[in-house]
Amino acid sequence: MIMDTLGHIDGFRAKWPFAARYARVNGWRMHYVDDGAGDPILLLHGNPTWGFLYRDVIPPLVNAGHRVIVPDMIGFGLSEKPAREQAHSLDGHIANLTGLVRQLDLRRLTVVCHDWGGPTGLGFAMSNPE
């Protein structure tokens, strides 16, 4: 399991002190960070990165009074890694993100997108204007 591997790398835990959380979305196991309280900010990574990209962004946002959610898209980071190519489509990523947002009942959501997270986040927003 990748978590066991990453947990043994010197210094990793100091750079990634966030509690691991998991949700089942569309049959996949998705890892995410959920830290803080207040209006939620969803940080979406690109390809080939994962939530680790935002490690220095999460604490200031939490300290500013926000709830910060950082998912690892399916196939990235600490989320499940399906071998089927169709599991990595844009529509699939949008559907998985939608499943996570609904499970967490996120409202008044600000979405921050990087790279491949852009089409994923914008596709999610277009499908979920509320």
Side-chain angles (χ1 to χ4, degrees):
M1 183 172 147
I2 194 168
M3 185 62 144
D4 293 337
T5 302
L6 292 175
H8 290 95
I9 296 173
D10 284 342
F12 174 76
R13 279 283 152 229
K15 293 178 183 175
W16 189 253
F18 311 104
R21 299 176 189 268
Y22 293 91
R24 183 67 58 184
V25 293
N26 300 317
W28 304 112
R29 187 173 186 242
M30 179 182 273
H31 169 266
Y32 66 98
V33 169
D34 188 345
D35 202 3
D39 287 338
I41 299 177
L42 181 67
L43 304 177
L44 302 178
H45 66 80
N47 183 6
T49 62
W50 58 293
F52 190 76
L53 173 75
Y54 292 110
R55 68 193 174 278
D56 295 329
V57 176
I58 298 168
L61 291 174
V62 168
N63 291 338
H66 296 282
R67 178 180 177 192
V68 181
I69 299 91
V70 186
D72 289 339
M73 294 298 152
I74 298 302
F76 297 87
L78 303 177
S79 288
E80 190 169 352
K81 314 256 182 325
R84 294 190 338 249
E85 185 176 324
Q86 58 269 38
H88 305 284
S89 70
L90 177 57
D91 288 341
H93 287 302
I94 294 168
N96 294 332
L97 180 60
T98 299
L100 178 68
V101 169
R102 287 181 180 163
Q103 281 185 47
L104 298 179
D105 194 28
L106 300 177
R107 302 188 187 280
R108 296 177 43 91
L109 183 60
T110 298
V111 181
V112 176
C113 308
H114 173 258
D115 188 65
W116 183 246
T120 304
L122 292 174
F124 162 78
M126 296 291 292
S127 300
N128 299 278
E130 69 284 356

